[in-house]
Every structure is written in structure tokens, then in C-alpha cells.
Amino acid sequence: MTPHSPGTDQIDTLLQIGFVAAAIVVVAINVALIYAVRRNRAQRGSAPSPGGDSRRSQFRVGAMLTVFAAAIFVLSVFFTGKARETPASEASGLAAAKSAPLTIKATGQQWLWRYDYPNGAFSYYKLVVPADTAVKLELLSTDVIHTWDVPDLSGKRDAVPGKTNKVVFRADEEGLYEGQSATLSGQAYAAMRTAVEVVSPQDYEAFVKQQKADIETAQDRVVGLIEDKEVP
Ligand SMILES: [Cu+2]
């Protein structure tokens, strides 16, 4: 993952801390095992030692693991303090979203995402947002639980039927960010991906305007077709 929204760099750091901690545990366990086997082999044939100090060594190992766990906990809290803050728009962001985030409805359904923009336009699969702008997604679902997961921009969040969850992010760079399926939501869940295209605020305005016009044209055409057929 390449972090592109406030807080995601900290989630990334936390992942790396977790990875290093797991690696340390794996190495320590293997070193201890090899040491135990070696020592045992050297004493092969002799009577087993009574192991009088086993209680003390248990205590020592327990204390070491406790200190290790506490250190990881403190490190993690220290490194992720900002990940839970809600980002605000920057001066270079969308003018209409200076004080409040740009709110877009994201609806999960088997098996695709629909995005509804404030001007009435909508899109499927791909979400287009302006750069440097706080974007609030209101996550909804029409059927089962889906998970919105675009790791470069945000932590993952569930879309739960009958509930509105939210995700707030602020993309710092224009580009295409891919999202993946993260919760089994039926046969085609693996294909239920999404993508976020981050563009300049001007391009965003142009996109929603064009999208709205295209949708209206298409709808008028369909209505026209139906009316033509109904005329005897
Ligand atoms: Cu899904």
C-alpha cells in the first residue's frame, strides 16, 4: 500500500510494527528451540535434570513477553494517534467543500458499488473525487454486508443494511486508487471491486456536470422510446 490520505501512513506504520513484532517472535521461538535441542543432545544418555529452577525461568520468560507486549501496545498507540482524526479540506481543494466535507452516498449491492453525488449524478464502480478535499462517504447497503476497502485512502469500513456508516478521507495526489473486496457477500464478491479516481477540483466539477447531463439525456431517450411505443 502507498498511503495517500491523512492517517493511512500511520495504518501502514502499524502494519509494519505488527510485521516486525511477529518476525521477532518467530525468530526468538526458533532460536530457543534450537538451543534446547542442542543442549539436550549434548547431554544425551545422562539422567534428566530435575529442573529445579523451571519456575524461575517460566517467570522470566513470562515477564519478557509481558514487557514485549506492553512495548508494542505503547508503540502502536503512539504511532496511530492521528489515524482517527477526521481530515479537513485544504485551500487547494474543492471550494464547495471548504467548511464541510463533500458528501457522497456509496451504496453496496450484490455485486457492485453505486456512488451518488450531491448534484444528482451517479456512477457505478468508479468514484471520482477532487484532490485535497475532505470526502465523506455515507456507506449504505441494499442487501448484505459489503466492505468498502481502498487501502491507500482509508481504513476499511462495512456497509451494513439499515445503517449508515461513514468514511472520511482526503486524497493528496491525483491518480487512480484501486479498492478490493474484503467481505464475502455472495458468489460474485471477488468481482465487487471499486476504484477511486482523484482529479483536480475543476475536473471533478466538470465530471459531475457531464455525468448528470449524460444520465438525463439517456433517461429522456428511454422515456421517449416508451412513449413512442405506447402511441397507437
Ligand atoms: Cu460486497
Side-chain angles (χ1 to χ4, degrees):
M1 107 185 227
T2 14
H4 277 292
S5 176
T8 46
D9 50 338
Q10 298 190 318
I11 296 172
D12 196 38
T13 308
L14 185 61
L15 279 175
Q16 283 169 19
I17 290 174
F19 177 77
V20 169
I24 289 173
V25 169
V26 166
V27 168
I29 286 174
N30 279 289
V31 166
L33 262 178
I34 290 168
Y35 171 75
V37 167
R38 282 248 170 116
R39 199 173 69 162
N40 207 31
R41 198 176 276 167
Q43 295 170 351
R44 183 173 284 175
S46 60
S49 74
D53 66 341
S54 75
R55 250 202 121 94
R56 201 189 289 164
S57 64
Q58 273 173 15
F59 185 77
R60 212 182 296 149
V61 169
M64 258 161 62
L65 287 176
T66 307
V67 168
F68 188 64
I72 289 173
F73 178 75
V74 170
L75 265 180
S76 307
V77 169
F78 179 72
F79 275 113
T80 55
K82 277 198 184 134
R84 296 170 70 184
E85 282 172 17
T86 305
S89 295
E90 284 177 338
S92 51
L94 187 74
K98 281 279 135 69
S99 49
L102 171 66
T103 304
I104 295 170
K105 223 164 79 180
T107 310
Q109 61 189 77
Q110 284 169 322
W111 286 277
L112 79 170
W113 287 99
R114 173 186 164 126
Y115 299 102
D116 283 279
Y117 302 86
N119 74 337
F122 55 85
S123 65
Y124 287 94
Y125 173 69
K126 191 162 84 177
L127 166 69
V128 178
V129 294
D132 299 332
T133 305
V135 176
K136 181 167 98 180
L137 290 185
E138 288 181 345
L139 296 177
L140 303 155
S141 171
T142 59
D143 37 45
V144 300
I145 295 174
H146 300 281
T147 301
W148 197 84
D149 183 20
V150 182
D152 288 355
L153 298 179
S154 157
K156 50 177 108 165
R157 194 79 25 103
D158 283 350
V160 182
K163 202 174 176 245
T164 307
N165 278 342
K166 60 168 193 155
V167 165
V168 184
F169 63 87
R170 185 186 69 214
D172 62 7
E173 205 181 315
E174 290 175 29
L176 191 71
Y177 303 95
E178 307 258 315
Q180 53 219 333
S181 303
T183 300
L184 184 64
S185 57
Q187 291 111 306
Y189 94 99
M192 191 180 164
R193 301 204 183 98
T194 190
V196 180
E197 190 179 3
V198 178
V199 297
S200 68
Q202 297 88 316
D203 286 355
Y204 166 78
E205 300 265 32
F207 166 80
V208 284
K209 211 172 147 196
Q210 184 65 45
Q211 187 82 351
K212 194 184 180 194
D214 288 352
I215 289 167
E216 278 167 0
T217 309
Q219 283 171 344
D220 286 350
R221 203 167 289 166
V222 170
V223 168
L225 283 173
I226 294 168
E227 280 170 354
D228 281 353
K229 267 192 186 157
E230 277 170 356
V231 170

